[in-house]
Amino acid sequence: MTAALSGAPPEGGWTVDDLDALPDDGVRRELIDGALHVSPSPTSIHQVIAMRLGVALEQTCPDHLFVSQSNDVQLSPRRLFIPDVLVTTFEAARRRAGSFTADEVLLAVEIVSPGSQSMDRVLKPALYAKAGIPHYWLIETDDDITVHTNRLNGNAEVYEPSGSFTDVIRTDGPWPIEIPIAGLRPRNF
């Protein structure tokens, strides 16, 4: 029995190939330098925001790009994250069954949850930037919805803030986007 099927950590840590051998049981598994990280299911508010953002992005998305939710993004053989919303090339979406490499992703979006604050605010943007993903959005939902957009500074492999929005998201990347935040808000939020 392989380590992936036994549930025991493989010698040297987990890899993306080990995760591929696990059953498709709906468990959200991410890899951080070979360490397996399992997160709880997102809250219903989190899911509604992700769904509505995906629809809003899809409405203006150029034909050569593709908007999706909660797909695997392989940053390296020992790093894999699952952004809440992502934009890839249409060609990559056609070729792959819900799993992408970092060079196929143009935008990764994370919605901060109580159990993911450090991951979404610190670790994921650092590793997404190192992997070369051009745009990263962070959505905070503490009191209301705030969307922070970031653009990759390729020379330094870090993100630079490109906007912080509480009314309308306005940005020119990865294409010209204008999304009223009220449209993302779940009813009674």
Side-chain angles (χ1 to χ4, degrees):
M1 179 182 299
T2 68
L5 295 177
S6 72
E11 187 175 321
W14 293 86
T15 66
V16 172
D17 290 338
D18 293 323
L19 290 187
D20 288 343
L22 292 172
D24 187 7
D25 55 7
V27 174
R28 189 179 180 106
R29 297 177 182 95
E30 296 179 303
L31 278 181
I32 305 164
D33 297 331
L36 184 63
H37 179 78
V38 179
S39 355
S41 296
T43 66
S44 54
I45 289 173
H46 181 283
Q47 292 293 75
V48 169
I49 293 169
M51 175 183 63
R52 290 182 177 189
L53 177 62
V55 168
L57 288 169
E58 178 68 25
Q59 290 174 342
T60 63
C61 182
D63 289 342
H64 69 282
L65 299 178
F66 185 83
V67 179
S68 189
Q69 283 184 255
S70 300
N71 291 124
D72 295 352
V73 176
Q74 181 179 340
L75 306 180
S76 75
R78 294 169 36 91
R79 290 181 181 155
L80 179 139
F81 287 136
I82 305 170
D84 295 312
V85 178
L86 65 151
V87 175
T88 67
T89 65
F90 183 77
E91 199 55 43
R94 178 182 292 163
R95 239 184 0 260
R96 298 196 181 264
S99 180
F100 302 97
T101 58
D103 64 335
E104 297 169 327
V105 178
L106 280 80
L107 169 64
V109 179
E110 296 290 355
I111 302 167
V112 177
S113 296
S116 70
Q117 294 173 2
S118 296
M119 290 276 291
D120 295 339
R121 293 177 182 150
V122 180
L123 184 62
K124 285 186 176 184
L127 295 178
Y128 285 149
K130 182 146 185 69
I133 295 175
H135 300 274
Y136 177 70
W137 292 8
L138 181 70
I139 301 179
E140 300 277 358
T141 60
D142 291 332
D143 297 322
D144 202 358
I145 297 174
T146 303
V147 179
H148 304 280
T149 61
N150 300 275
R151 182 184 317 266
L152 183 65
N153 175 332
N155 296 332
E157 293 183 334
V158 296
Y159 288 114
E160 296 176 343
S162 56
S164 184
F165 307 96
T166 57
D167 186 34
V168 177
I169 304 166
R170 285 189 181 93
T171 184
D172 61 355
W175 66 89
I177 295 170
E178 187 169 316
I179 299 172
I181 290 179
L184 305 180
R185 189 174 292 112
R187 287 185 286 175
N188 305 319
F189 179 73

